[in-house]
Amino acid sequence: MQFYKLLFKMKPMMRKKNNLVIGLTTFNTEMLKISISALSKIREKFILIIHNDNPMTVVEKRLIRKLGYCGDLHIINSNETNGELIAKINIIEAAKKFNPEWLMFCNDDDLLIELEIPNVSKNNFAIIQNAVVLRHRISNLLRVMDCTTDFDIDGEDIELLRPNRGFIGTPIRANVLFGLGKILTGMIEDIKNLNEKLDFYPPINTMLWNFVNIYARHINSEAAPIYMDKINYIKNDIDTSRIKYGVLRRPARNVEEQYQRILSKYNSLLQNLLAANAALRG
């Protein structure tokens, strides 16, 4: 299956200023010290939208400024815990008023370190890049929080993920996410019904990445992501608990098989809805 084309090293003349929104979801708001420290070091201009899904805390602008970020900022403090999927949909909806060309998501305990957006074809709906994964040693996290280039890939404590193909850390065309977000609002209950049958935390971000690919190709048969061989994201996998939102973070057994089974069901939901909508228009 063709997932992406290779975009080789970009020359300066190919760079282009873009209207970009970064979406950041959080629940354990103390983790913002990690993500905001990195965002504050990025030179490119962007708009940051933070969705706080913890009704017991309030994220204020002065906190984000204190953590070092001085750029454009929009904060959503939820009155109830909506979950990761709805939080991301809310960010997509909030981003519409800024009319961006690109939208990108970051986890609150990861580090987004690079925002170069090359001038690519309109058919390219996403720019896949590379990521570094931190494991085991907290000292490595402290170093990159201080300097985002201070890491040495050793294949054990610090690994290279090449490419980092997924929803998190990937610039995605905003018009694709706006159209997908509108459809997702009509799928929420069906997705919830599927998730309630799981005994592990649903793979929300893999589901969303699949949805982006399906929807982008639905609206444009020539749509494809493109690959830029460059590190733009650091994933923090140091302190990963077995439990997330009261359930196992991963399936206890047959991990890939169980993930593929639920992802296939998600994909069918979207494909059936798109087909039904096309039939109504026809």
Side-chain angles (χ1 to χ4, degrees):
M1 181 180 295
Q2 181 181 358
F3 284 103
Y4 49 82
K5 300 177 182 178
L6 176 62
L7 183 65
F8 293 95
K9 291 182 179 179
M10 307 305 300
K11 298 179 180 179
M13 69 178 63
M14 297 180 71
R15 296 180 181 178
K16 176 184 175 183
K17 291 184 178 180
N18 291 276
N19 188 0
L20 174 68
V21 166
I22 304 299
L24 196 158
T25 59
T26 186
F27 185 87
N28 297 313
T29 56
E30 65 273 11
M31 294 298 183
L32 292 172
K33 295 177 183 178
I34 300 173
S35 51
I36 299 301
S37 71
L39 291 172
S40 66
K41 295 178 176 65
I42 293 176
R43 292 176 296 174
E44 290 86 356
K45 186 177 180 181
F46 61 93
I47 300 165
L48 176 61
I49 301 179
I50 299 174
H51 188 290
N52 170 29
D53 205 37
N54 187 346
M56 303 303 293
T57 64
V58 175
V59 174
E60 298 179 338
K61 284 190 176 181
R62 61 182 177 180
L63 168 65
I64 306 305
R65 301 304 188 206
K66 186 177 180 180
L67 293 174
Y69 177 73
C70 300
D72 295 329
L73 178 62
H74 179 75
I75 299 174
I76 304 168
N77 284 294
S78 180
N79 294 323
E80 59 182 346
T81 300
N82 294 301
E84 186 178 3
L85 176 59
I86 293 179
K88 286 180 167 60
I89 292 174
N90 288 343
I91 287 177
I92 292 170
E93 183 64 27
K96 289 180 179 179
K97 69 178 181 180
F98 301 111
N99 194 30
E101 186 175 354
W102 298 90
L103 209 158
M104 185 176 183
F105 281 86
C106 177
N107 289 333
D108 61 355
D109 59 347
D110 292 342
L111 298 90
L112 178 59
I113 64 174
E114 176 63 56
L115 279 184
E116 180 184 6
I117 304 291
N119 186 10
V120 298
S121 166
K122 291 292 184 181
N123 292 330
N124 297 132
F125 64 85
I127 304 172
I128 298 170
Q129 297 170 68
N130 304 328
V132 166
V133 184
L134 305 182
R135 307 189 194 279
H136 311 307
R137 298 171 62 88
I138 191 68
S139 58
N140 289 327
L141 175 60
L142 294 174
R143 279 203 297 272
V144 295
M145 286 177 63
D146 184 55
C147 176
T148 55
T149 60
D150 187 9
F151 57 83
D152 184 15
I153 297 169
D154 58 17
E156 182 178 357
D157 294 327
I158 304 179
E159 299 179 6
L160 176 64
L161 184 59
R162 182 185 187 193
N164 175 32
R165 189 173 61 218
F167 189 76
I168 301 297
T170 300
I172 300 170
R173 291 275 184 191
N175 67 305
V176 171
L177 286 176
F178 293 157
L180 177 61
K182 185 177 180 180
I183 292 174
L184 283 176
T185 57
M187 296 173 56
I188 292 297
E189 290 306 315
D190 290 330
I191 293 174
K192 283 183 177 179
N193 290 337
L194 289 176
N195 291 345
E196 287 173 357
K197 300 174 183 177
L198 301 177
D199 59 2
F200 55 89
Y201 187 77
I204 298 298
N205 289 313
T206 306
M207 177 195 74
L208 286 171
W209 177 242
N210 288 349
F211 282 0
V212 166
N213 280 265
I214 292 169
Y215 180 74
R217 292 184 173 98
H218 174 76
I219 61 176
N220 177 7
S221 61
E222 297 183 1
I226 197 165
Y227 173 56
M228 183 163 64
D229 192 7
K230 185 174 185 178
I231 296 171
N232 75 322
Y233 200 81
I234 299 177
K235 294 189 175 186
N236 173 19
D237 196 32
I238 294 174
D239 185 24
T240 303
S241 66
R242 293 181 64 252
I243 304 298
K244 184 172 182 178
Y245 287 95
V247 296
L248 289 173
R249 181 179 289 271
R250 293 165 58 86
R253 61 183 66 86
N254 301 324
V255 176
E256 291 305 318
E257 179 182 339
Q258 292 202 58
Y259 276 153
Q260 288 305 315
R261 185 181 299 119
I262 187 61
L263 289 168
S264 178
K265 292 179 180 179
Y266 293 145
N267 292 349
S268 293
L269 281 179
L270 178 58
Q271 289 165 341
N272 291 340
L273 183 56
L274 291 174
N277 290 344
L280 287 174
R281 290 195 299 270

